[in-house]
Amino acid sequence: DTAVSQTPKYLVTQMGNDKSIKCEQNLGHDTMYWYKQDSKKFLKIMFSYNNKELIINETVPNRFSPKSPDKAHLNLHINSLELGDSAVYFCASSQASGLATNEKLFFGSGTQLSVL
Amino acid sequence: QKEVEQDPGPLSVPEGAIVSLNCTYSNSAFQYFMWYRQYSRKGPELLMYTYSSGNKEDGRFTAQVDKSSKYISLFIRDSQPSDSATYLCAPHPGGYNKLIFGAGTRLAVHP
């Protein structure tokens, strides 16, 4: 059983399109995240949700909109895709109600987004 | 200055070598130090976690923190081809704060 699963694994699309990435965790965790990893491998947090409530919202263009229908799911919708959005997007989850001291993050396998 | 800096590598070593992976940071508020390992086309996974200065050993892996020089190291003894991955350091100030990752060092262990 995959703990944190995200779909699709690969996403190739044209500039200007709107696309969504889905994430589900079966660990019973309260907190879920979206991270972006660029071509230089920098892993940066984008959003964090705790029990469907947004708790971290980094400086991300408002073309990116996360949606959490329940605490086991966190989807990422991207409008008007741009070339610079090409990256690997990782979903993650953690047990407690925030990013506490030694909290372990569980990551999905990533979605490789290529915008042409 | 970036909050966390790592040499991106790649670092290529023969099987059995001792590997030293390093990370520097600028924020003296960091108290907890984690190392994540990321295999190709996979998400990162927590490898080791250390609090404050000192050493922590887990099998072939040793994490070392020197807070006075803001320097973090991960040592791998008897390195194996299965250790080939990108290693990301991730310091944390404690409390409810986001985790900040270094860019990672890519390690290749060849037979």
Side-chain angles (χ1 to χ4, degrees):
Chain A
D1 264 350
T2 305
V4 181
S5 58
Q6 51 184 113
T7 55
K9 194 168 177 62
Y10 299 98
L11 187 51
V12 181
T13 188
Q14 300 286 333
M15 260 189 349
N17 283 352
D18 302 339
K19 289 293 177 186
S20 292
I21 307 172
K22 294 185 176 182
C23 180
E24 176 182 2
Q25 54 96 3
N26 63 7
L27 297 165
H29 287 169
D30 286 337
T31 308
M32 295 184 72
Y33 312 81
W34 278 109
Y35 279 83
K36 179 181 179 180
Q37 189 170 43
D38 62 25
S39 57
K40 293 185 178 176
K41 299 298 184 184
F42 279 105
L43 193 62
K44 290 184 180 173
I45 191 168
M46 301 173 70
F47 301 102
S48 171
Y49 268 75
N50 173 251
N51 269 322
K52 302 192 295 175
E53 186 179 333
L54 182 65
I55 55 172
I56 293 177
N57 184 352
E58 289 296 288
T59 308
V60 175
N62 57 15
R63 297 182 295 104
F64 290 79
S65 53
K67 282 189 171 50
S68 181
D70 56 63
K71 74 172 193 176
H73 295 84
L74 180 62
N75 303 323
L76 183 65
H77 188 74
I78 315 171
N79 289 328
S80 303
L81 277 155
E82 299 177 357
L83 293 176
D85 297 333
S86 297
V88 182
Y89 291 84
F90 286 99
C91 178
S93 73
S94 63
Q95 189 166 20
S97 59
L99 200 49
T101 303
N102 62 340
E103 204 152 350
K104 181 176 176 179
L105 292 177
F106 292 79
F107 283 87
S109 292
T111 295
Q112 172 83 60
L113 172 63
S114 299
V115 182
L116 308 177
Chain B
Q1 183 186 6
K2 288 194 180 77
E3 280 198 281
V4 184
E5 302 224 38
Q6 280 185 268
D7 184 335
L11 181 61
S12 182
V13 300
E15 185 174 353
I18 297 173
V19 176
S20 171
L21 303 167
N22 307 302
C23 192
T24 58
Y25 63 93
S26 57
N27 188 346
S28 57
F30 289 142
Q31 300 284 339
Y32 302 86
F33 304 92
M34 293 164 227
W35 284 95
Y36 277 76
R37 177 175 59 194
Q38 184 177 17
Y39 289 114
S40 181
R41 294 191 176 84
K42 295 288 185 187
E45 55 180 349
L46 182 65
L47 182 64
M48 296 208 46
Y49 150 69
T50 312
Y51 168 67
S52 196
S53 284
N55 293 358
K56 183 174 183 178
E57 191 173 318
D58 184 1
R60 296 183 295 109
F61 298 87
T62 300
Q64 191 173 78
V65 176
D66 181 349
K67 289 187 68 182
S68 61
S69 56
K70 300 190 181 70
Y71 196 83
I72 314 165
S73 299
L74 178 69
F75 297 98
I76 307 175
R77 287 187 303 280
D78 187 24
S79 55
Q80 302 294 309
S82 58
D83 295 328
S84 298
T86 297
Y87 290 81
L88 304 107
C89 67
H92 194 280
Y96 289 94
N97 285 285
K98 63 180 185 246
L99 201 57
I100 295 175
F101 287 90
T105 299
R106 191 154 55 96
L107 171 68
V109 181
H110 52 87

